[in-house]
Amino acid sequence: MIRGALIISTLLLAGCDTVPLEQPPTRAHIADSALPPVKQFGAPQPVPPQRSNRDIARDFLDLHFKLEGGSSLPILTRFEQPITLRVTGSPTKTLNSDLSRLLSRLQNEAGIRVTRVTSGDAHITIESVSSAEIRRALPRAACFVVPNVGSLSEYRRNKRRAKTNWSQLRERTRLAIFIPNDVSPQEVRDCMHEELAQAIGPLNDLYRLPDSVFNDDNVHTVLTGFDMTILRATYAPELQTGMSRDEVAARLPSILRRINPKGGSHASRPLKETPREWVNAVEAAIGPNASTEVRKRAATQATAIARQQGWKDHRRSFSHFILGRMVQRSAPGLAQKHFKTAMSYLGNAPSTQLHRAHISARMAAYEISRGNGRAAQTLLRPAIPTAAKFESASLLSTLMLLQAEALALTGDIEEARAVRLDSLGWARYGFGSDWAVRARMNDIAALRPNTMAGG
């Protein structure tokens, strides 16, 4: 898994991606020294998987025995010895606390104990380096994990050798995760979740999964209840490194009955496979190295393919969501129609709560820009606790800042101030630097027409 190539941005809202960074004249300036401390999330609230064990077994097999490019893996691999982990490089202030929280979750929710060591060799090394160093190694990556190395320098020396090729992996003994130390606390945490999950678990990503970090849409960025179920099954005593797909498939039903008994009561509703042409269109639409027109055409193509496939799930929703983003600045009314269509394919399932919150942010921004404070609040009320439950500080702070503008539009000035102030600690975790927090505030404040002094 290479995080960074296909990130969904929640930051660029309707028509405000070119707003200057200066404080709007009607907004009281908040000095750096007045910014509240960084907030961090409390007890995790994972949502258990909401589908049948039969479908989860299919997901497990495709996650473990396929790679993103389409090739197959002949055997299951996992760590067969107690796992140790060390952190090297120059870690950020929040890395250690977020890592400790993640390791605790892995033990409590997946039954996987990963022990930190401070010196000597470890099975997994997390090296904290600059984004520039990571890009020199892999130009499109924000962070990544590699087998059979212990440092970025060792990876560079072995980059084109079989030992660092996931398709050649036959046992897991030593891996390295490379994480940037000059990004927001949330990006550091998200990288740890995604890359450590791959280091110990599945190697593939599947767009058909609505509730997983093992999905290149990057809607989920911390390990979910489904992910923990997959990881717990990976380390079930009935399995071991070297087993074939058929051997694992024969054991999975009893494993899943034991670790996920509620999955036996859900009816099987398998989603169709995701065709490569849709994946290619999506990657072109949300990738970083294409013009706006090229990306817009790719998003239109993805939407057309989703319609031709007859999908009525989160993938069709995602197609309309990215197309709405493409046209949001030039045709905000059309974008709003795409967002409404995207929302219609998500239903009310717990597995799509976070998808709905992302779309609600876009739709609420449009309503605020038109002066419809009450309509925006209706969209934001369910989205805010959802963002908190799924631990997305960037989305949470964005939603709260939007709520502050919606409240101001309806005359609730004091409440707007309180919500805006409360959002800043989350913004500092989600966006990092003080200037980035102020820029986010400015962008959202600029949405509201006829901004009133003191709001």
Side-chain angles (χ1 to χ4, degrees):
M1 187 182 300
I2 300 173
R3 178 173 170 80
L6 303 174
I7 294 177
I8 299 175
S9 171
T10 62
L11 312 186
L12 301 180
L13 297 171
C16 63
D17 47 318
T18 59
V19 173
L21 297 186
E22 303 84 54
Q23 195 75 3
T26 53
R27 178 75 58 228
H29 178 69
I30 296 180
D32 288 356
S33 61
L35 287 176
V38 174
K39 288 186 177 181
Q40 291 184 277
F41 294 99
Q45 305 176 59
V47 178
Q50 302 294 310
R51 51 187 178 278
S52 75
N53 281 342
R54 182 175 179 178
D55 294 343
I56 294 174
R58 174 200 178 203
D59 296 335
F60 181 98
L61 293 171
D62 285 349
L63 285 169
H64 272 287
F65 288 93
K66 292 182 179 180
L67 292 176
E68 292 181 51
S71 59
S72 297
L73 295 169
I75 62 169
L76 175 77
T77 62
R78 67 179 191 181
F79 282 101
E80 295 297 341
Q81 64 276 10
I83 306 170
T84 57
L85 177 149
R86 65 171 183 170
V87 176
T88 63
S90 303
T92 62
K93 293 180 180 178
T94 56
L95 183 147
N96 283 317
S97 59
D98 280 336
L99 177 58
S100 295
R101 192 168 183 268
L102 172 56
L103 298 184
S104 177
R105 284 195 62 198
L106 285 171
Q107 181 165 352
N108 295 335
E109 298 173 41
I112 302 171
R113 180 175 178 81
V114 180
T115 303
R116 288 191 62 174
V117 296
T118 57
S119 61
D121 294 331
H123 299 109
I124 300 172
T125 299
I126 295 178
E127 186 173 15
S128 181
V129 297
S130 70
S131 297
E133 290 179 88
I134 289 175
R135 286 193 299 270
R136 280 196 291 271
L138 276 183
R140 297 185 66 204
C143 50
F144 63 101
V145 57
V146 179
N148 299 314
V149 300
S151 68
L152 196 56
S153 59
E154 186 180 1
Y155 169 65
R156 291 195 193 100
R157 293 193 302 272
N158 295 277
K159 186 174 182 179
R160 291 174 175 82
R161 296 184 180 180
K163 64 182 291 186
T164 60
N165 188 331
W166 283 108
S167 68
Q168 302 299 313
L169 187 68
R170 298 297 179 265
E171 62 178 346
R172 301 199 197 193
T173 56
R174 192 166 67 112
L175 301 100
I177 298 170
F178 306 113
I179 290 180
N181 57 16
D182 51 5
V183 296
S184 72
Q186 179 169 324
E187 182 68 11
V188 173
R189 180 209 64 186
D190 294 354
C191 278
M192 282 196 299
H193 275 249
E194 295 189 36
E195 307 308 338
L196 185 55
Q198 185 180 29
I200 63 176
L203 303 179
N204 195 14
D205 287 320
L206 297 170
Y207 274 106
R208 73 170 184 254
L209 302 178
D211 54 352
S212 175
V213 302
F214 301 115
N215 186 328
D216 273 334
D217 65 10
N218 284 323
V219 170
H220 289 275
T221 54
V222 299
L223 291 170
T224 66
F226 169 85
D227 298 329
M228 291 298 186
T229 300
I230 292 294
L231 291 171
R232 182 177 284 275
T234 299
Y235 285 84
E238 296 94 326
L239 303 181
Q240 63 184 18
T241 293
M243 283 186 170
S244 69
R245 183 183 177 109
D246 288 344
E247 289 174 323
V248 173
R251 290 162 174 77
L252 273 179
S254 62
I255 292 171
L256 291 173
R257 278 196 299 271
R258 185 180 74 249
I259 68 174
N260 186 44
K262 291 185 178 180
S265 62
H266 292 294
S268 176
R269 295 186 177 88
L271 295 179
K272 293 181 181 179
E273 296 290 340
T274 307
R276 190 66 219 179
E277 58 265 31
W278 183 86
V279 174
N280 291 340
V282 167
E283 291 180 353
I286 62 180
N289 299 319
S291 68
T292 300
E293 285 306 312
V294 169
R295 294 171 64 209
K296 190 183 297 184
R297 285 197 297 271
T300 302
Q301 182 185 11
T303 305
I305 294 170
R307 182 175 61 252
Q308 293 163 6
Q309 291 288 319
W311 290 341
K312 295 183 179 180
D313 56 50
H314 61 284
R315 293 171 296 180
R316 189 160 183 183
S317 172
F318 187 54
S319 303
H320 283 279
F321 176 61
I322 59 178
L323 184 53
R325 288 174 52 207
M326 292 296 101
V327 303
Q328 192 165 16
R329 184 179 178 191
S330 60
L334 177 60
Q336 193 75 345
K337 290 181 180 179
H338 279 295
F339 295 145
K340 288 179 179 178
T341 301
M343 196 73 85
S344 72
Y345 287 110
L346 294 176
N348 295 310
S351 60
T352 60
Q353 289 179 80
L354 191 54
H355 302 70
R356 298 197 296 273
H358 278 281
I359 298 170
S360 293
R362 298 276 176 168
M363 295 179 69
Y366 174 80
E367 297 295 353
I368 290 168
S369 71
R370 292 169 58 85
N372 298 332
R374 296 197 185 283
Q377 288 182 54
T378 299
L379 289 161
L380 294 166
R381 284 192 195 99
I384 288 172
T386 294
K389 178 167 67 174
F390 289 96
E391 300 187 14
S392 177
S394 58
L395 178 60
L396 176 58
S397 59
T398 295
L399 291 165
M400 293 176 72
L401 287 168
L402 288 166
Q403 184 185 47
E405 299 306 323
L407 287 165
L409 280 170
T410 58
D412 295 329
I413 304 301
E414 292 304 317
E415 180 66 14
R417 284 175 173 155
V419 171
R420 186 177 298 110
L421 181 62
D422 193 34
S423 74
L424 297 182
W426 295 118
R428 293 194 67 194
Y429 185 86
F431 302 125
S433 64
D434 290 344
W435 71 264
V437 173
R438 293 198 306 273
R440 181 79 309 221
M441 292 177 64
N442 293 348
D443 287 351
I444 294 176
L447 288 169
R448 182 157 59 97
N450 302 317
T451 304
M452 297 172 289

